[in-house]
Amino acid sequence: MRSLRTGLSLTSLLSGVAMLGALLVTAPAAHAADAPLRDLADAKGKVMGTAVTGSKLTGTYGEVAGREFNALTPGNAMKWGSVEPTRGNFNWSEADQIVDFAEAHDQQVRGHTLVWHSQNPNWLTNGSWTPAQLSQLMNDHIATEVGRYKGRLATWDVVNEPFNEDGTYRQTLWYNGLGADYIAQALTAARAADPSAKLYINDYNVEGVNAKSTALYNLVKSLKERGVPIDGVGLQAHLILGQVPSTLQQNIQRFADLGVDVAITELDIRMQLPSDSAKLTQQAADYKSVLAACVAVSRCVGVTVWGFTDSDSWIPDTFPGQGAATPYDENYAPKPAYHAIAEALGGTTTPPTGACTATYSVSSQWNTGFTGQVRVACSGAALASWKVGWNFGAGQRITQAWNATCTQSSAAVTCSNASYNGTVPDGGSVTFGFNGSWSGSNPVPTVALG
């Protein structure tokens, strides 16, 4: 989390207790980032996108979608079952609405998705097709949909979720009818329909290095070697609280090394309900970790959250008892996760005055030394990391510290969290201590502002 220093001026305190600033604060819901997420992402050359529902793109929902994101993905509006519910009868209304909204707000659109095993129209899934007929249906669908938006969409998820967890091909209408080469056929058809759009294969549980992501890696490598048009890999990132894969950045990098772009395409991080401050703080750390992994790899083009508000999330319906997976709550208030995204993109947030404080006290003192303690506590905000600083006024020197990393340069002292105690939930606290030396006097320090 980006360092934010706050503090209070001190008067003489007979109690020997001082309030110290320099806290790294995840601001509460009412506070937004100093700059919209899309501006922060633009500055880093990244996409910060969200999936949207077209019918909701008005009022507060539309305002947030337009202000904070530089890319939109139709959550359902471009899936085959939505655009051609009966054969030969098309419904483009919601898809058109999203594309029009994006163009009016200077946003990219990620087309999602052309060839998938799910959310297909009944006439397609229940039909009896020869391989030749199935091949023609797929080619015609891609030509029709991609052709409709030719030149207007930046990217397409051409093939969605082709693999099982063990890295074998998923048994689907397409694989069973056309074999594994349906993927190459779909990509080739998409390139013909819109040569300017970036073409992706998209899947879930491929964020870290595992059997499924390795199968995807080998497929992309093979497609590249064969000259099949493939521009990128989408890692969906439907994650569980506290379970961001440790190999995420490594995995992004190995795909990038194949010469393709990588995108986090459907990020959400779900938790067991009800949410609480500790869970929201962990969620913020998880979001920051994902964003940081993408920022660290030049060919990771950006991150899309799968819905920006909990009121538009698929999680509660699919995973009963779980939810709170997005950066905004159901009332469109940004959660700690929102601020973590901003900070990972290089932004800052403005903390509420006094929400998190550090209290300095001397617990014991003798003729040449003393033991001090600082308590970091939050009420109305939460921390994913912290730092406190002060100036000693009478030549005191820190000789040893515990539960924090402390440095001293002349009179200035800076202490930051250890690896295990950076998280301070709303309503919680942590403490650290130190031994110091003094000579003559040991006055209460004042706050270093910065």
Side-chain angles (χ1 to χ4, degrees):
M1 186 175 287
R2 180 170 289 263
S3 177
L4 296 176
R5 300 181 72 90
T6 62
L8 298 172
S9 298
L10 291 178
T11 58
S12 175
L13 297 178
L14 297 177
S15 65
V17 177
M19 302 303 292
L20 300 179
L23 291 174
L24 296 172
V25 180
T26 297
H31 292 256
D34 290 345
L37 299 182
R38 62 181 292 167
D39 292 353
L40 300 173
D42 284 339
K44 290 193 173 293
K46 303 291 185 182
V47 167
M48 186 66 230
T50 182
V52 292
T53 301
S55 61
K56 296 182 179 181
L57 285 172
T58 60
T60 303
Y61 183 98
E63 291 169 8
V64 175
R67 180 184 70 241
E68 296 290 337
F69 302 98
N70 58 11
L72 301 182
T73 300
N76 292 297
M78 290 187 177
K79 292 170 180 173
W80 200 331
S82 297
V83 299
E84 194 181 6
T86 58
R87 190 175 185 183
N89 295 306
F90 296 92
N91 181 0
W92 302 106
S93 58
E94 187 186 2
D96 286 351
Q97 181 182 20
I98 292 169
V99 174
D100 291 344
F101 181 95
E103 290 177 342
H105 291 80
D106 193 26
Q107 296 167 308
Q108 296 182 15
V109 178
R110 181 180 198 90
H112 178 81
T113 179
L114 295 170
V115 179
W116 190 25
H117 66 272
S118 185
Q119 289 185 247
N120 289 313
N122 289 333
W123 65 263
L124 177 64
T125 55
N126 295 334
S128 297
W129 314 108
T130 66
Q133 290 171 327
L134 193 61
S135 177
Q136 191 64 50
L137 284 167
M138 185 174 73
N139 285 346
D140 289 347
H141 171 67
I142 292 171
T144 300
E145 183 157 14
V146 178
R148 179 179 182 82
Y149 299 107
K150 180 179 180 180
R152 300 177 70 189
L153 268 60
T155 53
W156 275 101
D157 290 326
V158 178
V159 175
N160 202 43
E161 301 173 2
F163 289 107
N164 295 315
E165 297 304 300
D166 63 0
T168 58
Y169 282 101
R170 186 191 293 269
Q171 303 293 305
T172 68
L173 172 71
W174 308 110
Y175 180 82
N176 294 338
L178 301 174
D181 231 27
Y182 83 89
I183 297 171
Q185 180 183 337
L187 290 162
T188 301
R191 174 66 84 235
D194 187 351
S196 66
K198 299 287 188 179
L199 309 180
Y200 278 67
I201 300 173
N202 190 52
D203 215 328
Y204 65 93
N205 288 352
V206 292
E207 295 77 31
V209 176
N210 55 36
K212 191 174 187 180
S213 65
T214 297
L216 180 58
Y217 175 90
N218 290 332
L219 170 63
V220 173
K221 185 173 185 290
S222 173
L223 292 170
K224 291 281 289 183
E225 290 170 348
R226 293 168 55 192
V228 175
I230 174 70
D231 300 305
V233 171
L235 314 180
Q236 291 185 12
H238 294 296
L239 303 177
I240 299 170
L241 189 72
Q243 297 184 26
V244 176
S246 61
T247 53
L248 174 60
Q249 184 176 327
Q250 173 190 345
N251 192 43
I252 293 172
Q253 187 64 62
R254 71 165 174 165
F255 279 105
D257 290 343
L258 287 177
V260 295
D261 293 336
V262 181
I264 307 296
T265 55
E266 304 182 20
L267 176 63
D268 51 28
I269 301 176
R270 65 186 185 267
M271 64 183 70
Q272 197 68 33
L273 297 174
S275 66
D276 58 34
S277 60
K279 292 176 185 177
L280 293 173
T281 301
Q282 178 63 55
Q283 183 186 57
D286 291 346
Y287 266 95
K288 181 187 175 187
S289 178
V290 174
L291 268 291
C294 182
V295 168
V297 180
S298 60
R299 289 206 72 154
C300 184
V301 298
V303 175
T304 290
V305 292
W306 202 246
F308 63 86
T309 170
D310 292 340
S311 65
D312 196 38
S313 173
W314 70 298
I315 295 296
D317 290 338
T318 307
F319 300 96
Q322 299 183 57
T326 76
Y328 285 78
D329 69 18
E330 292 186 351
N331 297 314
Y332 304 111
K335 300 183 324 199
Y338 168 90
H339 300 284
I341 293 170
E343 289 150 2
L345 291 172
T348 61
T349 55
T350 303
T353 302
C356 290
T357 58
T359 306
Y360 178 107
S361 61
V362 174
S363 55
S364 64
Q365 183 171 302
W366 54 99
N367 60 342
T368 59
F370 68 99
T371 297
Q373 178 177 282
V374 175
R375 178 176 180 264
V376 180
C378 290
S379 178
L383 303 176
S385 59
W386 48 262
K387 185 182 294 182
V388 298
W390 63 90
N391 286 326
F392 279 129
Q396 303 100 313
R397 301 288 305 181
I398 286 183
T399 57
Q400 179 188 17
W402 50 92
N403 296 330
T405 300
C406 294
T407 60
Q408 183 172 353
S409 176
S410 187
V413 178
T414 301
C415 296
S416 57
N417 62 274
S419 61
Y420 52 82
N421 66 352
T423 298
V424 185
D426 186 1
S429 66
V430 299
T431 60
F432 68 90
F434 54 89
N435 288 330
S437 63
W438 67 283
S439 177
S441 65
N442 185 22
V444 171
T446 57
V447 173
L449 299 176

